[in-house]
Amino acid sequence: MQPGTYTLLVALDDAPSITFGAAGTRSLDAGWYAYTGSAFGPGGLTRVQRHRELAAGERDARHWHIDYLLGHRAASVDAVYATTHDDVECATARLLADDATPVPGLGASDCTCETHLVFAPTRDALAQRLAEIHDTSL
């Protein structure tokens, strides 16, 4: 699988408090979340399959902040958008933070971004923005 940057579009059907490992607990609203990550190591964008498995309850290990959200029973991966071969992770995260509500301190422990996770109450505008930013869907 090719390397690249991806954004998961995640539906959250209720409003839980979730502990994101060392990043602490956040009270989240029901709605739509977009998480941007990159996959330039071995396997490339096959990392997305791991995220889907975790959201489906087929995997338990939590390595990244997004894993804590995906591991919640009310979360599901609705769609995945990707840009192959280009590291646009932080640029994408910043664009999304301008268009949606940032969830501070999540997914950005290895960069200077405020966050790589954003919230929107409805799907359509967020999904449209992701389709504009990325070059493919997975």
Side-chain angles (χ1 to χ4, degrees):
M1 181 66 100
Q2 300 172 354
T5 301
Y6 62 91
T7 302
L8 306 174
L9 183 59
V10 178
L12 187 63
D13 294 334
D14 67 13
S17 288
I18 297 176
T19 301
F20 290 88
T25 301
R26 305 289 194 290
S27 293
L28 302 179
D29 292 325
W32 295 87
Y33 289 83
Y35 169 78
T36 303
S38 61
F40 287 92
L45 289 168
T46 59
R47 175 177 295 173
V48 169
Q49 184 57 34
R50 183 194 171 284
H51 291 312
R52 288 181 193 266
E53 290 168 1
L54 198 132
E58 299 166 1
R59 181 183 287 265
D60 289 325
R62 286 156 173 74
H63 298 291
W64 298 285
H65 291 144
I66 188 60
D67 293 343
Y68 295 93
L69 174 57
L70 295 176
H72 191 277
R73 62 175 171 65
S76 61
V77 176
D78 178 76
V80 180
Y81 300 83
T83 299
T84 57
H85 299 289
D86 290 330
D87 187 355
V88 293
E89 180 180 8
C90 290
T92 299
R94 288 185 190 113
L95 286 171
L96 291 173
D98 289 342
D99 294 338
T101 304
V103 183
L106 296 177
S109 57
D110 60 350
C111 67
T112 60
C113 296
E114 176 187 7
T115 189
H116 283 208
L117 182 68
V118 299
F119 167 77
T122 60
R123 180 188 191 280
D124 292 343
L126 191 55
Q128 180 178 343
R129 186 66 171 129
L130 290 169
E132 294 167 1
I133 292 170
H134 288 291
D135 59 18
T136 191
S137 297
L138 299 178

